[in-house]
């Protein structure tokens, strides 16, 4: 049996007629940039996030960069974030000529550990950027409390967590802004690059809209330095077809996650550490990530059995060559460094079958026995 990490073909087969029709309408309309499809998606995703404003942009990385820029983050500023995330999180900070300041993670959730944030705050700190890794929200209450005390912006990197909630709050509801990625592999994926920022602040929303069109307002008059970063109509039309299914897909991911955990616990007990959904959280399982010993050997073995897996992420950001001038070294964030050696993500997508899951767990079990 072959089990891919992700297979989008069944989802497309189900939605194909609607997709072709909506794309045909966009092409017939000849309106390709910032038209009605983008407006509708912005409205729907903002409402879904319980905030008034959605700003469609070219991708999730630009969403982070534009959110930071609109918040006034600039050269010399410091932004606190996690070293255990996709590069774009810290990349966006560096693109503002600001300095990413890393804080170690909580070993259970893989998210930034709020208890370690305050010791890193200086006169230059302007924002905290938590990442909701694998689809589970960071511990937002203490983060918001620290931010309030020190007058900092909070921008959530929710690229992996659309639909996740924290104590009944949606992503974007508690913070100043949250960013989504609609990269094809994300829980709500376009057929190309796309992203969005959601915010409750009218002034920030307005700045973000200006930045995505070269800082121009009115057209051809430029007061701030922006660039071209727009979500196009074709991608928005595709996302509008998919969006009504998102909650159903999240529920399916959760069922699959529960089944993995039951099967793994039954066959291997404590030998694998399965994901924990913190009480009060609604985890949307962008990834189902376990911690194991001999991780690299396991990955090789599973590959030989036809089971694809991924390592998110093998090299923590504080040890990336591009950030060597920040002066971090091995041993600075032991919990992150351990996670980078032990974490492995198993195949996860809403259409994954019970048979496929059983086979994955059988193969993992065979390796450890
Ligand atoms: C995917 C991702 C991004 C970047 O999104 P793109 O749309 O690929 O630019 C940023 N942060 C995290 C945590 C991600 O997973």
């Amino acid at each position: 049996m072959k089990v891919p990490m992700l297979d989008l073909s069944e989802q497309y087969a189900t939605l194909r007629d609607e997709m072709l029709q909506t794309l045909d309408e966009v092409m017939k309309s000849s309106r390709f940039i910032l038209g009605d499809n983008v407006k509708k998606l912005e409205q729907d995703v903002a409402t879904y996030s319980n905030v008034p404003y959605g700003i469609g942009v070219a991708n999730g990385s630009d969403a982070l960069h534009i959110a930071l820029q609109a918040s006034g983050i600039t050269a010399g500023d410091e932004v606190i974030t996690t070293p255990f995330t996709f590069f774009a999180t810290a990349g966006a900070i560096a693109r503002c000529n600001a300095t990413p300041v890393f804080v170690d993670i909580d070993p259970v959730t893989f998210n930034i550990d709020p208890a370690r944030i305050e010791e890193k705050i200086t006169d230059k700190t302007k924002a905290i950027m938590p990442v909701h890794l694998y689809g589970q929200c960071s511990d937002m209450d203490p983060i918001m409390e620290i931010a309030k005390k020190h007058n900092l912006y909070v921008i959530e990197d929710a690229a992996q967590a659309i639909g996740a909630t924290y104590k009944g709050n949606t992503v974007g509801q508690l913070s100043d802004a949250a960013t989504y990625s609609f990269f094809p592999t994300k829980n709500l994926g376009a057929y190309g690059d796309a992203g969005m920022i959601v915010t409750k602040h009218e002034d920030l929303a307005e700045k973000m809209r200006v930045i995505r069109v070269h800082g121009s307002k009115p057209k051809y008059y430029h007061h701030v330095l922006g660039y071209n970063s727009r979500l196009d109509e074709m991608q928005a039309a595709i996302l509008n077809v998919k969006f009504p299914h998102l909650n159903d897909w999240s529920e399916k991911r959760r069922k699959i996650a529960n089944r993995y955990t039951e099967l793994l616990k039954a066959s291997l007990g404590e030998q694998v550490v399965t994901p924990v959904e913190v009480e009060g959280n609604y985890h949307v399982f962008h990834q189902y990530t376990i911690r194991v010993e001999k991780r690299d050997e396991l990955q090789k073995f599973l590959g030989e059995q036809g089971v694809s897996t991924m390592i998110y992420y093998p090299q923590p950001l504080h040890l990336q060559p591009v950030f060597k001038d920040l002066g971090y070294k091995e041993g600075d964030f032991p919990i992150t460094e351990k996670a980078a050696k032990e974490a492995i993500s198993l195949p996860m997508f809403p259409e994954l079958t019970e048979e496929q899951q059983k086979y994955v767990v059988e193969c993992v079990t065979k390796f450890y026995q």
Side-chain angles (χ1 to χ4, degrees), residues 272-327:
V272 295
V273 180
T274 51
V276 172
E277 180 180 55
V278 175
E279 206 187 320
N281 272 358
Y282 182 86
H283 191 326
V284 292
F285 288 96
H286 174 58
Q287 299 298 340
Y288 183 88
T289 304
I290 58 174
R291 296 176 83 125
V292 293
E293 280 173 19
K294 301 200 187 122
R295 190 262 323 264
D296 294 339
E297 292 94 319
L298 172 67
Q299 182 172 45
K300 185 165 175 280
F301 176 79
L302 291 176
E304 287 159 6
Q305 312 302 310
V307 174
S308 311
T309 54
M310 292 292 281
I311 310 297
Y312 302 115
Y313 296 91
Q315 171 98 307
L317 296 191
H318 67 288
L319 301 176
Q320 293 290 349
V322 68
F323 288 139
K324 73 173 184 306
D325 291 348
L326 296 178

Side-chain angles (χ1 to χ4, degrees), residues 42-111:
E42 287 178 337
Q43 197 56 64
D44 286 351
V45 173
T47 303
Y48 185 74
S49 311
N50 285 316
V51 296
Y53 309 104
I55 300 92
V57 295
N59 54 65
S61 307
D62 279 3
L64 287 165
H65 183 221
I66 292 172
L68 288 165
Q69 199 188 337
S71 308
I73 310 299
T74 182
D77 293 342
E78 293 176 359
V79 178
I80 291 175
T81 193
T82 162
F84 196 58
T85 173
F86 179 56
F87 174 77
T89 313
I93 299 167
R95 279 165 73 198
C96 293
N97 298 314
T99 306
V101 174
F102 297 116
V103 166
D104 213 348
I105 56 169
D106 174 321
V108 174
T109 61
F110 302 97
N111 284 329

Side-chain angles (χ1 to χ4, degrees), residues 130-253:
V131 179
H132 306 322
L133 204 69
Y134 305 144
Q136 171 157 245
C137 286
S138 300
D139 193 3
M140 292 301 289
D141 277 351
I143 293 172
M144 293 313 299
E145 207 170 291
I146 294 164
K148 200 167 170 196
K149 185 168 151 200
H150 297 274
N151 199 22
L152 308 174
Y153 282 98
V154 175
I155 294 162
E156 300 169 72
D157 181 344
Q160 304 186 1
I162 189 164
T165 63
Y166 171 84
K167 297 183 182 175
N169 298 286
T170 50
V171 163
Q173 199 171 354
L174 296 172
S175 65
D176 295 293
T179 65
Y180 297 122
S181 164
F182 305 127
F183 186 76
T185 60
K186 300 286 156 93
N187 286 22
L188 180 63
Y191 290 166
D193 280 308
M196 192 177 291
I197 313 153
V198 292
T199 177
K200 61 178 132 183
H201 301 300
E202 189 178 2
D203 56 336
L204 280 186
E206 176 59 22
K207 284 181 189 159
M208 291 164 184
R209 276 192 214 105
V210 170
I211 292 171
R212 76 175 167 184
V213 290
H214 298 285
S216 138
K217 196 194 178 185
K219 208 170 182 180
Y220 305 126
Y221 290 83
H222 305 263
H223 302 276
V224 298
L225 188 62
Y227 55 107
N228 177 358
S229 181
R230 295 173 295 234
L231 198 173
D232 73 72
E233 279 290 294
M234 303 272 259
Q235 297 304 337
I238 285 159
L239 290 164
N240 282 329
V241 170
K242 287 194 176 194
F243 181 70
H245 301 277
L246 179 59
N247 284 346
D248 177 44
W249 292 335
S250 298
E251 278 294 305
K252 288 193 168 121
R253 286 174 180 274

